[in-house]
Structure formats: structure tokens, C-alpha cells
Amino acid sequence: MTNATSTPWTPGPEWTQANDQRLFAPATQRNRDAILDVLRGILPRQGLVLEIASGSGEHAIHFAQALPYLVFQPSDPSPEALTSIAAWTQSSGAVNVRPPLLLDAMAETWPLQAAEAILCINMIHIAPWAATQGLIRHAGRLLTSGAPLILYGPFRRAGRPLEPGNAAFDASLRERNAAWGLRELDEVAALAAEAGFGAPDVIEMPANNLSVVFRKR
């Protein structure tokens, strides 16, 4: 997820362990089961789930093992992430996870033509706004009527002050990269409406995060 004025996210040293190609995202153990509980009520009973910005790959493996009737397609623009995803897939033995795709949300074309659902966890605040635009534009093309686009992470919401933890997180992101920061939920919803999605279903999550579910009209 790069452009001429931004530096892409890369995993820090806290994500790595010696002699292991797998990355270990610090937040995954804390949020994966809460997200899974939401996904159980939203994802279809069969088909392909495309995950955008899969990072370490831990979420994709966890969800695939819990939802064996679905096929998961992880993706990421980071070579380190792709290596980690492949290593996690191999070590887990999961048979319903496809090899990871090199995919930049901002790219003009994506290496996939259809999906039954699209999932994106903790990306849009650590990427340029163009990545959110690309994500939603392509999701509108790939998904059919009724199919979900599921976003997870912290958001700004009109009429609500940011929680102290999210305010500090937002400030740290913007200090690291001026193109990053928590996104206004209303602005994301407006993009989704332009791409053919209905109004979002907003689900409160632990640690002041949200699951935001758009369905293709």
C-alpha cells in the first residue's frame, strides 16, 4: 500500500521470533475470538472469503480452522507478510486456506475476479486514504448482491469524542505517517454507498474497536 508520499506499514521486531518465518501480531490473540464471534453470524455457509491486508496470517488461519466450510484467500502487499502467511498455513495444516496473494489495495486491478465475502482487519488507519478507496471500489466490483464487506478496527464517529486510548493511538499514527490515522466512519460509509453498498451495520467490539459490515445492494 504505497504511494509517492507515504511509507508502507512493515512489521516491527516485536512481531518476529528467532529462526521462525512466522510473524506474531501482538493484537491477534486479544481480538481474534471476538472477531470470529461476529463472523459466525455474517459470513456465508460456503464460498471464498478474501482477506485484505492479512498481515501475519494468524487471523486467516484461526478463522479457517473454526469455519472449515469456507475457503480463505489471504493477501498482503508486504513480502514479509506473504512469507509469514505461507508459514502459518503450512504449520497449521489448514486445507481451506489458499496460498497468499500479493495484493495492494490501491492497485488499479486485483488478482481476483470474485468472492463471497471480503474481510479487512486493522488496515485502513495504517494506510493512505487511497487504500480505503481502492478497497471499497474493488469490493463493489467483486461482491454480488447481499455479500458482506467487513471492516474491523478503530474509527472516528460524528458527535462522539475519541476515547483516550484511540486519541493517543491516532496521534501516534499521524506522527509516524501523515497519511495514516483513524478514519471517519461517515466518510467510509459514503464511499461504500457510491460503490453500491447499503448503510453499515456497526457492532461494538472490545477495546473501543468496531466491526463495520456493509452489504452489496
Side-chain angles (χ1 to χ4, degrees), residues 89-114:
T89 304
Q90 181 177 20
S91 67
S92 72
V95 297
N96 58 328
V97 179
R98 289 185 175 180
L101 289 175
L102 179 65
L103 189 154
D104 186 327
M106 296 191 296
E108 288 299 317
T109 60
W110 281 8
L112 199 70
Q113 298 304 312

Side-chain angles (χ1 to χ4, degrees), residues 3 7 20-21 23 101 107 124 136 160 211:
N3 65 18
T7 301
D20 196 334
Q21 290 186 309
L23 298 173
L101 289 175
I124 68 174
I136 293 176
R160 299 194 187 194
S211 287

Side-chain angles (χ1 to χ4, degrees), residues 21-24 55-58 79-89:
Q21 290 186 309
R22 296 174 300 174
L23 298 173
F24 297 81
S56 67
E58 293 166 276
E80 296 95 334
L82 298 182
T83 298
S84 176
I85 296 164
W88 272 107
T89 304

Side-chain angles (χ1 to χ4, degrees), residues 126-139:
I126 54 171
W129 178 241
T132 302
Q133 293 173 314
L135 167 65
I136 293 176
R137 181 178 69 254
H138 285 293

Side-chain angles (χ1 to χ4, degrees), residues 38-157:
V38 171
L39 296 181
R40 289 186 190 277
I42 294 170
L43 292 178
R45 298 299 299 179
Q46 61 181 0
L48 180 71
V49 179
L50 170 62
E51 186 184 20
I52 301 300
S54 297
S56 67
E58 293 166 276
H59 280 124
I61 296 303
H62 186 65
F63 301 153
Q65 290 176 323
L67 306 170
Y69 47 85
L70 292 167
V71 176
F72 284 81
Q73 175 61 76
S75 71
D76 206 275
S78 161
E80 296 95 334
L82 298 182
T83 298
S84 176
I85 296 164
W88 272 107
T89 304
Q90 181 177 20
S91 67
S92 72
V95 297
N96 58 328
V97 179
R98 289 185 175 180
L101 289 175
L102 179 65
L103 189 154
D104 186 327
M106 296 191 296
E108 288 299 317
T109 60
W110 281 8
L112 199 70
Q113 298 304 312
E116 278 65 54
I118 294 178
L119 172 64
C120 184
I121 298 172
N122 284 333
M123 181 198 80
I124 68 174
H125 54 278
I126 54 171
W129 178 241
T132 302
Q133 293 173 314
L135 167 65
I136 293 176
R137 181 178 69 254
H138 285 293
R141 177 180 61 83
L142 266 63
L143 297 176
T144 59
S145 178
L149 165 63
I150 306 158
L151 310 181
Y152 169 88
F155 289 82
R156 293 177 173 271
R157 288 190 277 182

